[in-house]
Amino acid sequence: AQVFAAGLLPDPSFSFSLDRPLEPQGLVTALTAALGLDIPALLHRPAAVREARANLDAVRYDLVWAEWLTAEQTRLVATRIPFLEETRELTSELRSLTQKELDRRLAAVSRGDLAAAQLEAPRLSASEAANRDREAESELEAAKLELNRVLGIDPREVIQLAPPEPSRSSLPTLDTMFERAARDRADLAGFRAAFEAVRAGGSAARLDRFPLPSLDFGAARDTGGLKTAGAGISFILPIWNRNRGEVAVTDATVARARADYAARLDAIRADLAAAQSALTVAARQHLAVSEELRELEGRLAANELSAERGDTSFSAAAEMRALVLDRRITQVSLARDVAELEIGLEIVCGQRLGEFQ
């Protein structure tokens, strides 16, 4: 609507006056008609159209950026849910395992085969496992409700989600991501469009430093019957003001917009570095836990086989299984962190990481 309004041509002005003589007799009624055209409005029109179109582009880019953030937030929540479901399965298994071990020890104490003091550690383990299971359940339900809220659907509706995408083995360099973000991020494009709008407003302000005329064309008949026709021109003499105040304001606005844009670029580079660093650390931790888990799983198989032969106690095998479950939970949690940090890096880049290939 603002672009449409800025492109409209100014309407001409028309005036008409009538003077009827009261005395002496023999005179005629005086008539005056004038047609005026606002030349300054015509000269301001190109700059006004450029400013309005630039503002329209800025709004469109802001909408694109808002849609991108909403889509990425939805992906973030949707990616989180499968990991939380896997975590809940593991915490439930760990809770069941620790509770069974506690029950077994309680039975041994009741038979007198075990001292009561040896119940403290199993109780703490069972209590901690139960708390972790409850927290995992709450976090999973909260994520499901959040996904339905973001999608704007009934909270009771169940969404079937695809498995999360595998994490990437390599990432683009920081300079590459920064160049693509500076070039392609919709919010920065909107910032540049808004900057152009400010510059267009500055062009209009500078135009007012010059004497812009207004034209009038008229015809008249006086009371004596004399008919005349002519034209007039009027303009403001740029002697003292020369619109310097408005020019100074627009220059300052342009300088502020340029400084804000530079600050935004600096913030994006810092955000990219932080996101890339966090992702690298999480991936390294996930790899370390995965290697530790492979070793523990090998030891677990040997311990369970030894317990079946009676070479070691079932309690030792249960403790090893609980340790393996704990590391699996940590592994899934770190895998979730890696997936979420990849999406966070995509948000800062303004595009999917796969598009860098």
Side-chain angles (χ1 to χ4, degrees), residues 76-89:
L76 184 66
V77 179
T79 300
R80 181 182 301 155
I81 290 176
F83 290 108
L84 291 176
E85 289 175 341
E86 186 176 357
T87 299
R88 176 69 206 290
E89 292 177 0

Side-chain angles (χ1 to χ4, degrees), residues 4-345:
F4 172 73
L8 295 176
L9 295 173
D11 290 324
S13 62
F14 177 76
S15 63
F16 177 80
S17 64
L18 182 148
D19 290 322
R20 185 178 181 81
L22 300 179
E23 59 181 358
Q25 299 296 324
L27 299 179
V28 297
T29 299
L31 302 175
T32 302
L35 182 67
L37 185 61
D38 190 357
I39 300 298
L42 285 175
L43 296 177
H44 285 146
R45 180 177 175 272
V49 171
R50 289 200 308 272
E51 182 179 6
R53 286 177 176 169
N55 282 326
L56 175 61
D57 290 339
V59 171
R60 285 174 170 166
Y61 283 124
D62 287 343
L63 287 173
V64 170
W65 182 246
E67 291 176 352
W68 163 257
L69 293 179
T70 301
E72 288 298 285
Q73 178 63 27
T74 305
R75 286 186 63 231
L76 184 66
V77 179
T79 300
R80 181 182 301 155
I81 290 176
F83 290 108
L84 291 176
E85 289 175 341
E86 186 176 357
T87 299
R88 176 69 206 290
E89 292 177 0
L90 293 173
T91 57
S92 179
E93 184 179 353
L94 179 61
R95 181 178 186 178
S96 176
L97 177 66
T98 54
Q99 185 61 45
K100 287 180 180 179
E101 179 62 18
L102 177 60
D103 293 341
R104 194 184 67 81
R105 299 232 181 159
L106 285 172
V109 169
S110 65
R111 293 193 307 267
D113 298 337
L114 204 63
Q118 293 181 285
L119 289 175
E120 190 65 25
R123 277 200 180 99
L124 289 175
S125 297
S127 176
E128 181 182 356
N131 288 335
R132 293 178 71 176
D133 188 44
R134 285 190 289 268
E135 291 174 0
E137 181 183 15
S138 298
E139 194 172 1
L140 175 59
E141 291 303 314
K144 290 180 178 179
L145 290 173
E146 175 66 13
L147 179 60
N148 287 25
R149 185 193 67 80
V150 173
L151 294 175
I153 61 178
D154 193 314
R156 296 166 297 181
E157 187 170 347
V158 178
I159 302 175
Q160 299 296 327
L161 297 174
E165 298 178 358
S167 59
R168 301 187 178 278
S169 57
S170 62
L171 293 174
T173 63
L174 179 61
D175 291 339
T176 300
M177 289 188 293
F178 177 73
E179 290 174 1
R180 294 284 290 270
R183 186 191 70 187
D184 297 336
R185 267 183 55 154
D187 63 327
L188 291 180
F191 211 106
R192 291 190 290 268
F195 182 76
E196 290 300 319
V198 174
R199 292 183 60 184
S203 299
R206 283 178 170 76
L207 192 61
D208 287 335
R209 295 180 302 175
F210 304 99
L212 304 179
S214 293
L215 299 179
D216 292 294
F217 303 92
R221 185 187 71 183
D222 64 10
T223 55
L226 178 64
K227 298 178 181 180
T228 59
I233 184 173
S234 63
F235 52 84
I236 297 176
L237 294 176
I239 297 177
W240 296 300
N241 190 317
R242 300 198 305 275
N243 206 38
R244 287 179 297 172
E246 187 64 26
V247 170
V249 170
T250 55
D251 288 344
T253 304
V254 169
R256 183 182 66 181
R258 186 179 289 111
D260 289 343
Y261 184 75
R264 180 74 65 87
L265 288 178
D266 290 340
I268 290 174
R269 179 180 285 275
D271 291 341
L272 283 171
Q276 186 183 43
S277 176
L279 179 56
T280 302
V281 171
R284 184 169 60 246
Q285 292 176 348
H286 178 263
L287 179 61
V289 171
S290 299
E291 292 176 352
E292 180 186 2
L293 184 58
R294 281 194 293 270
E295 179 185 354
L296 289 175
E297 286 175 342
R299 291 169 55 189
L300 173 62
N303 281 8
E304 289 181 340
L305 183 60
S306 178
E308 290 177 359
R309 292 198 307 263
D311 297 336
T312 58
S313 64
F314 284 102
S315 296
E319 290 177 0
M320 178 59 68
R321 176 165 289 280
L323 179 59
V324 169
L325 287 174
D326 178 77
R327 291 299 182 271
R328 284 179 181 171
I329 294 171
T330 303
Q331 182 191 39
V332 173
S333 177
L334 288 172
R336 187 189 75 184
D337 291 343
V338 170
E340 291 181 357
L341 287 170
E342 284 186 351
I343 295 177
L345 188 58

